[in-house]
Amino acid sequence: MTPRMKKRLIRLPIALGITALVASGIVAACLPYLVMTGKRQTLDEAMKWQSEHYDTSFYEGLEKQDYTVQSYDGYELHAQLLKNPEPTDKYIMISHGYTDNRYGALKYVPMYLELGFNCVIYDLRGHGENESTFTTYSIREGQDIAELVKDTRSRFGGISLLGLHGESLGAASTAASLGYSPQVDFAVCDCGFADIENVLKGGFKAAHLPAFLYNLGNLGARLRYGCRLSDMRPVDKLTDNKVPMLFIHGEDDELIDPSNSQRMADATAGYSEVHIIKGAAHAESILTAPEEYKGYVRSFMQKTGV
């Protein structure tokens, strides 16, 4: 072996090490951005999708009230009250999923109108008409819901019953909000995650990517956004929760495994139920089996006296 070849062999590990370090840095910087700032739908895009999948004509006939709410850190949230045609002092606040906006909550509105509720729908932080920002997968979003509850009770007054309903990110945020002891009577969580770690690692596995990418993303999120992916654990907020909770999850959910709902039900200190909708994909349970879905919600309310 010539001296020149020896030098090349010595330099090869160094070059590979530098390449690996640079690649890790790129992943650590880019992965959190992709995970936490995905492209959001406009209001028009969201309404188009909803209208293509079920009848949304009821929305136009409802009396509405648009308003904004200042959250705990001064961030402004856009909200809308959908008044029940029949006068009622019962209210439900519905939280949509990631990249969607308040129109993503419309699929649940007819059920709650039928049950005698006024419906509050709103844009989650960084979504809809709100100022653009990153998603913290229940950390800031859970606190937002707690503030929205305070505003709802103050704004409308004389409320006899106030519940929460969330889908996907909205469900996880709803669960997380209970750690702040909001004055609510029940919570319905549809296809929420117990922690974002298992969702991301499941996605990596399905894409045949190594699980250690999560660790790089976790570091990058801490450096870039000031919060770790590993802290995004709504399940940890339920330890002292006494608010009755209903968990619904689609059996064929390939994004968030149904076991997430069971984990949260097991974690809460209060009453809980878990129901799995056969044949339902992610966030499609109420579209797949609407009567079954409504039956679970009605039964839950009767059992818990709400």
Side-chain angles (χ1 to χ4, degrees):
M1 182 180 296
T2 66
R4 188 174 183 181
M5 291 178 66
K6 287 182 178 180
K7 287 183 180 180
R8 287 182 177 178
L9 287 176
I10 292 172
R11 292 171 180 170
L12 181 59
I14 297 175
L16 290 174
I18 293 174
T19 300
L21 184 62
V22 171
S24 297
I26 292 173
V27 171
C30 295
L31 185 58
Y33 177 79
L34 294 174
V35 170
M36 299 168 68
T37 62
K39 184 181 182 300
R40 275 64 159 160
Q41 293 185 66
T42 66
L43 292 180
D44 288 342
E45 289 170 341
M47 179 59 83
K48 182 176 184 295
W49 189 97
Q50 304 302 321
S51 299
E52 289 173 350
H53 289 79
Y54 61 93
D55 184 7
T56 59
S57 60
F58 68 89
Y59 176 72
E60 292 302 322
L62 294 175
E63 183 180 350
K64 308 171 187 69
Q65 179 181 335
D66 294 308
Y67 58 97
T68 59
V69 177
Q70 295 292 319
S71 193
Y72 69 97
D73 57 355
Y75 185 85
E76 189 173 72
L77 299 162
H78 285 76
Q80 184 177 68
L81 171 69
L82 305 179
K83 292 187 178 181
N84 197 304
E86 298 295 327
T88 177
D89 55 10
K90 299 194 298 184
Y91 289 74
I92 184 77
M93 183 185 304
I94 309 175
S95 302
H96 62 79
Y98 184 51
T99 74
D100 210 335
N101 53 56
R102 59 182 178 265
Y103 290 153
L106 291 182
K107 62 171 73 80
Y108 305 102
V109 169
M111 173 180 67
Y112 283 110
L113 293 177
E114 185 179 327
L115 290 169
F117 286 82
N118 295 307
C119 299
V120 174
I121 60 177
Y122 73 102
D123 296 327
L124 269 73
R125 181 178 290 245
H127 293 73
E129 292 187 302
N130 296 334
E131 182 181 351
S132 178
T133 187
F134 58 93
T135 294
T136 60
Y137 290 99
S138 79
I139 297 177
R140 298 190 298 179
E141 295 80 6
Q143 295 177 78
D144 289 340
I145 291 176
E147 292 300 319
L148 283 161
V149 168
K150 293 178 186 177
D151 178 85
T152 299
R153 287 199 174 276
S154 173
R155 185 180 299 272
F156 302 115
I159 296 176
S160 66
L161 188 67
L162 176 57
L164 302 175
H165 184 117
E167 174 188 279
S168 193
L169 170 61
S173 301
T174 293
S177 76
L178 299 179
Y180 302 97
S181 302
Q183 192 180 349
V184 295
D185 300 290
F186 67 92
V188 179
C189 295
D190 185 321
C191 65
F193 53 84
D195 62 78
I196 198 60
E197 179 177 349
N198 84 93
V199 178
L200 293 177
K201 286 185 174 179
F204 293 154
K205 183 178 180 180
H208 305 290
L209 295 172
F212 73 79
L213 290 178
Y214 170 80
N215 297 325
L216 294 176
N218 196 37
L219 173 62
R222 177 69 180 86
L223 295 174
R224 185 165 188 169
Y225 298 111
C227 57
R228 299 180 300 176
L229 299 174
S230 57
D231 292 331
M232 301 171 189
R233 295 177 52 83
V235 66
D236 293 342
K237 295 293 186 180
L238 296 174
T239 306
D240 299 319
N241 172 61
K242 297 296 178 63
V243 174
M245 301 186 74
L246 170 62
F247 295 91
I248 298 178
H249 217 117
E251 182 181 50
D252 296 342
D253 192 332
E254 295 182 352
L255 179 62
I256 300 176
D257 192 88
S259 62
N260 281 268
S261 285
Q262 188 62 59
R263 285 176 57 200
M264 288 193 283
D266 292 340
T268 187
Y271 177 83
S272 67
E273 292 182 16
V274 180
H275 296 284
I276 306 299
I277 305 294
K278 292 183 178 181
H282 183 67
E284 294 185 3
S285 289
I286 196 167
L287 301 180
T288 301
E291 293 307 315
E292 181 181 1
Y293 197 106
K294 295 173 189 177
Y296 289 140
V297 174
R298 289 194 191 95
S299 175
F300 167 73
M301 290 185 175
Q302 291 171 354
K303 290 177 184 177
T304 56
V306 299

